[in-house]
């Protein structure tokens, strides 16, 4: 008796069942992460913790990862869409009037930025030499650069680095700085009260259709131009560069996006 058709049918059913179970498990992991993040965000907001969504998300993801309960990486299309949203959102944090006001100080700003990058890169090279067997040079340098944690994490893969290590070290620094910043500001300001710490910019109440349409157009066109120009992390840098350029030259008005857009991304 030939049992091959039945065997193949059974194997196909088993494969479909395995895929369904895997999909359900991934969904459960993401729902668990979202629930823990939402709960911590609420608690941190009540406690006036600066940048509550950022700290909550980082701690939740790190805790689940350590417990081997963390969700797998999202599909690249979703990641790129989130990067486009972040790229446009970063444009909303820059205002043309402020840029014009600080323009006379541009040489000092550039000097400070270059010095910070040089010191950070030197620290990354030292980290690579100490742990060269486990940490590559691009990973060590990107993980050591101060600031731009989101951008550097997204750039890590394109630069040949390990995005997980870069993200872990960058967001560990973010948590340390965020939690210590109010005390540092209090001490350096001679006891003057702080303004509540880091907050998410943008219009936190609503988003009208014109803002949405403009943001979507910048995201799509910026991503396309970034891909055409072969930019690293084109989904993040393309919309950001295009939006900043158009805003600075006065082609578009200042973008207004609610803070929850960045939190969701």
């Amino acid at each position: 008796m030939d049992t091959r058709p039945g065997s193949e049918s059974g194997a196909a059913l088993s494969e479909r069942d395995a895929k369904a179970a895997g999909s359900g498990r991934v969904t459960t992991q993401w729902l668990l992460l979202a629930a823990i993040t939402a709960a911590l965000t609420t608690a941190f907001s009540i406690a006036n913790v600066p940048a509550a969504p950022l700290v909550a998300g980082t701690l939740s993801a790190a805790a689940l990862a350590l417990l081997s309960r963390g969700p797998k990486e999202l599909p690249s299309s979703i990641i790129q869409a989130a990067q486009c949203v972040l790229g446009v959102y970063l444009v909303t944090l820059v205002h043309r009037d402020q840029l014009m006001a600080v323009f006379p100080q541009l040489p000092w700003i550039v000097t400070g930025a270059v010095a910070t990058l040089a010191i950070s890169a030197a620290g990354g090279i030292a980290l690579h030499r100490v742990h060269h067997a486990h940490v590559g040079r691009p990973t060590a340098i990107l993980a050591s650069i101060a600031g731009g944690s989101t951008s550097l994490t997204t750039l890590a893969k394109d630069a040949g680095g390990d995005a997980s290590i870069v993200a872990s070290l960058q967001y560990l620094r973010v948590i340390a700085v965020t939690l210590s910043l109010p005390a540092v500001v209090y001490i350096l300001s001679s006891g003057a009260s702080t303004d509540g710490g880091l907050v998410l910019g943008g219009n936190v109440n609503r988003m009208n259709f014109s803002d949405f349409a403009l943001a979507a157009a910048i995201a799509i066109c910026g991503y396309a131009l970034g891909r055409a120009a072969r930019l690293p992390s084109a989904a993040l840098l393309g919309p950001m560069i295009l939006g900043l350029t158009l805003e600075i030259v006065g082609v578009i008005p200042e973008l207004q996006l609610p803070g929850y857009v960045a939190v969701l991304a």
Side-chain angles (χ1 to χ4, degrees), residues 206-216:
R206 58 189 178 86
M207 179 178 181
N208 58 45
F209 178 77
S210 61
D211 289 333
F212 173 80
L214 182 58

Side-chain angles (χ1 to χ4, degrees), residues 88-166:
V88 175
Y89 184 79
L90 291 174
V91 177
T92 68
L93 304 180
V94 179
H95 302 286
R96 188 171 184 273
D97 294 340
Q98 294 175 347
L99 286 177
M100 295 300 102
V102 302
F103 187 77
Q105 309 300 325
L106 188 60
W108 294 106
I109 295 174
V110 173
T111 300
V114 171
T116 301
L117 286 174
I119 295 173
S120 300
I125 293 174
L127 175 64
H128 167 66
R129 289 183 176 179
V130 174
H131 300 284
H132 61 87
H134 305 287
V135 183
R137 177 169 292 188
T139 300
I141 293 176
L142 289 173
S144 301
I145 293 178
S149 53
T150 301
S151 304
L152 292 171
T153 301
T154 57
L155 285 169
K157 185 177 293 186
D158 293 334
D162 188 326
S164 61
I165 295 178
V166 174

Side-chain angles (χ1 to χ4, degrees), residues 52-241:
L54 174 62
V55 177
T58 303
L59 289 178
S60 301
L64 290 179
L66 291 175
L67 295 173
S68 299
R69 301 292 184 183
K72 295 182 179 179
E73 186 176 346
L74 287 169
S76 60
S77 58
I78 297 179
I79 295 176
Q80 289 180 343
Q83 291 178 5
C84 285
V85 173
L86 287 175
V88 175
Y89 184 79
L90 291 174
V91 177
T92 68
L93 304 180
V94 179
H95 302 286
R96 188 171 184 273
D97 294 340
Q98 294 175 347
L99 286 177
M100 295 300 102
V102 302
F103 187 77
Q105 309 300 325
L106 188 60
W108 294 106
I109 295 174
V110 173
T111 300
V114 171
T116 301
L117 286 174
I119 295 173
S120 300
I125 293 174
L127 175 64
H128 167 66
R129 289 183 176 179
V130 174
H131 300 284
H132 61 87
H134 305 287
V135 183
R137 177 169 292 188
T139 300
I141 293 176
L142 289 173
S144 301
I145 293 178
S149 53
T150 301
S151 304
L152 292 171
T153 301
T154 57
L155 285 169
K157 185 177 293 186
D158 293 334
D162 188 326
S164 61
I165 295 178
V166 174
S168 298
L169 294 181
Q170 284 290 340
Y171 286 110
L172 179 63
R173 181 186 299 109
V174 167
I175 293 174
V177 171
T178 301
L179 295 179
S180 62
L181 186 59
V184 172
V185 172
Y186 181 85
I187 294 172
L188 295 181
S189 60
S190 301
S193 61
T194 64
D195 59 358
L198 301 175
V199 296
L200 290 172
N203 183 354
V204 297
N205 296 319
R206 58 189 178 86
M207 179 178 181
N208 58 45
F209 178 77
S210 61
D211 289 333
F212 173 80
L214 182 58
I218 292 175
I220 295 172
C221 295
Y223 174 66
L225 291 174
R227 288 289 300 271
R230 299 183 180 275
L231 288 176
S233 295
L236 176 72
L237 297 181
M240 183 174 65
I241 294 174

